[in-house]
Amino acid sequence: MLKRLLYVAGFLGLLIGMWGLYDRFVYGHMNANYGSYVVWGLWVALYMFFAGIATGGFMLATLDLLFELPLFRGSGRIALWGSLVTLPAGLAAIGLDLGHMTRIWKVYLQPNFGSVMAQLVWGYTIFLIIVIVSLWLSFRPQPSRWLKPIMIVGLVLAIFLSGGIGALLGVNQNRVSWHVSNLPAQFPVFNLTSGVALMLIAIGWFGPVRDPRHSQQLHVLGLGLVVLLLVKGYYLWTDVSQALYQHSSHGAEAINLVLFGPYGWAFWLLQIGLGMLLPLIVLTTPIRNNGFAAGLMGVCVLLGLAVARANIIFPALTLPELRGLGEAFHGPHLSFTYSPSLMEWAVTAGIVGAATIGFVIGADRLPLFSRPVESAGTAD
């Protein structure tokens, strides 16, 4: 029943997304609500969200395929499948945000590796190849001696890419709310939180219930998620308290927009209430050992993380870098107010729907929760 509901929700999202994609490709950015001042919108936040799940999922896959923890044996494939599904979704989101998508070849043939963005493009390309190769090697009948070295490289790259997104924001010196020294250090924690939430969904909703480790896996992942949410809450408190205490014009204004402005309802209701407090309450009770409840808390955490990405991007860009800039020029795309347009939401629904269908198909049709019995030798 649960799988059927996910299939239906995914296909509905995909149908809505088809209209959004038609509008995007026919009319370009005309019907998007970002413009010359607010240059990043919903799709950039969506890219950060899905890329975080992909790198976090790979980190969780190493518990099985690299470190061989007995408790998580057999969970590596589903984690890699989650990375394989979500990374293209994130890249599709950022690709649609580009004004000239056909120029992407320049970053490969004419790269400037001093640019953080170029480093991320190359890094994600290599990372996607590593995910595909790792998943293929994990399906081989005999263990491969190449799997662990590749997983080591992938783990290092996953951490690098996680911090790279924070660095991409942090190098913007004119955006005080982004120009925080520990921002690159925060994102690996955020992405690991995404990975644990994904695994709660995978094991809670699709894992083999008859496996004697099933309840224990949910128990450990639930407690791990509690710890990560507390760490994430600490980071949030340090960012908010420092910005408000220093009365930094741009930083304090951005924080006030999140706490008490037009983004306040999403912050308090979705990011804090549904995405943090509710999972903290549920996952510290015996209910965390229930597969459906654990998976539902994973969904809540992911929703909160998605809103958190938007609350990082939107407020910082809706504040003028120069006072009076908003009044100096006027035009259809010269505005500092931003809320996603219907077309942007439709494309987002399509990307989320496609990712949902892809993940459920893998969990439903592929042997992602089984591992071959180790033999004395290893295959080349």
Side-chain angles (χ1 to χ4, degrees):
M1 182 63 180
L2 181 59
K3 292 179 182 177
R4 186 176 300 174
L5 289 176
L6 291 173
Y7 275 126
V8 171
F11 276 112
L12 285 176
L14 198 56
L15 287 174
I16 296 172
M18 291 175 66
W19 170 80
L21 286 175
Y22 169 81
D23 189 289
R24 168 64 181 87
F25 285 117
V26 173
Y27 300 105
H29 295 263
M30 183 181 301
N31 294 322
N33 281 349
Y34 48 81
S36 298
Y37 293 149
V38 182
V39 294
W40 288 350
L42 179 62
W43 297 336
V44 173
L46 189 67
Y47 145 70
M48 295 168 57
F49 170 67
F50 275 124
I53 297 178
T55 52
F58 192 93
M59 295 178 198
L60 267 293
T62 62
L63 297 179
D64 173 26
L65 301 176
L66 177 60
F67 300 110
E68 296 185 344
L69 296 183
L71 177 61
F72 292 99
R73 179 170 175 80
S75 66
R77 287 177 178 174
I78 189 67
L80 287 177
W81 180 255
S83 296
L84 183 59
V85 168
T86 54
L87 185 56
L91 297 179
I94 197 63
L96 290 168
D97 182 78
L98 298 177
H100 297 277
M101 292 182 286
T102 56
R103 296 182 182 177
I104 189 64
W105 63 269
K106 286 181 174 291
V107 79
Y108 292 106
L109 300 183
Q110 301 173 358
N112 173 18
F113 288 113
S115 165
V116 178
M117 190 169 293
Q119 296 172 17
L120 288 176
V121 171
W122 276 77
Y124 280 121
T125 303
I126 298 171
F127 182 69
L128 181 59
I129 295 172
I130 287 176
V131 171
I132 294 172
V133 173
S134 300
L135 188 59
W136 174 69
L137 290 176
S138 70
F139 274 111
R140 297 186 65 180
Q142 298 295 327
S144 172
R145 63 179 180 178
W146 294 104
L147 181 57
K148 285 190 176 182
I150 292 175
M151 293 294 294
I152 292 174
V153 175
L155 177 59
V156 173
L157 197 54
I159 297 173
F160 167 78
L161 291 171
S162 299
I165 295 180
L168 182 65
L169 300 177
V171 295
N172 289 271
Q173 298 182 16
N174 293 330
R175 307 290 180 182
V176 179
S177 59
W178 291 349
H179 193 54
V180 181
S181 60
N182 67 350
L183 192 61
Q186 294 182 30
F187 270 84
V189 176
F190 299 162
N191 294 358
L192 182 59
T193 306
S194 302
V196 176
L198 175 70
M199 287 303 293
L200 267 182
I201 298 171
I203 294 177
W205 287 359
F206 304 103
V209 181
R210 296 180 180 179
D211 190 327
R213 299 168 301 173
H214 185 261
S215 179
Q216 191 176 0
Q217 287 173 342
L218 294 176
H219 179 83
V220 172
L221 288 171
L223 292 182
L225 192 55
V226 167
V227 173
L228 289 169
L229 287 175
L230 292 175
V231 173
K232 181 177 176 291
Y234 173 76
Y235 277 134
L236 180 62
W237 175 79
T238 58
D239 290 341
V240 170
S241 60
Q242 286 186 34
L244 295 179
Y245 181 80
Q246 295 173 356
H247 300 287
S248 170
S249 59
H250 192 282
E253 288 180 32
I255 292 299
N256 278 313
L257 284 176
V258 174
L259 298 182
F260 313 111
Y263 307 105
W265 69 271
F267 175 79
W268 294 110
L269 180 62
L270 300 180
Q271 182 178 341
I272 300 298
L274 197 62
M276 288 188 65
L277 295 181
L278 180 62
L280 282 174
I281 294 172
V282 173
L283 295 176
T284 51
T285 66
I287 302 177
R288 65 176 174 267
N289 297 328
N290 177 274
F292 177 78
L296 188 59
M297 291 305 100
V299 172
C300 290
V301 170
L302 289 182
L303 177 61
L305 289 169
V307 174
R309 300 297 193 274
N311 281 336
I312 291 174
I313 297 295
F314 299 171
L317 292 174
T318 53
L319 294 172
E321 296 177 85
L322 298 174
R323 293 195 179 277
L325 183 60
E327 292 76 28
F329 303 96
H330 300 276
H333 287 281
L334 296 177
S335 173
F336 283 100
T337 60
Y338 173 77
S339 59
S341 67
L342 186 61
M343 183 271 288
E344 292 176 71
W345 281 116
V347 170
T348 298
I351 294 174
V352 173
T356 301
I357 292 172
F359 185 79
V360 177
I361 287 176
D364 193 23
R365 302 294 181 182
L366 298 177
L368 296 177
F369 286 99
S370 60
R371 286 281 306 281
V373 180
E374 298 284 354
S375 61
T378 58
D380 292 335

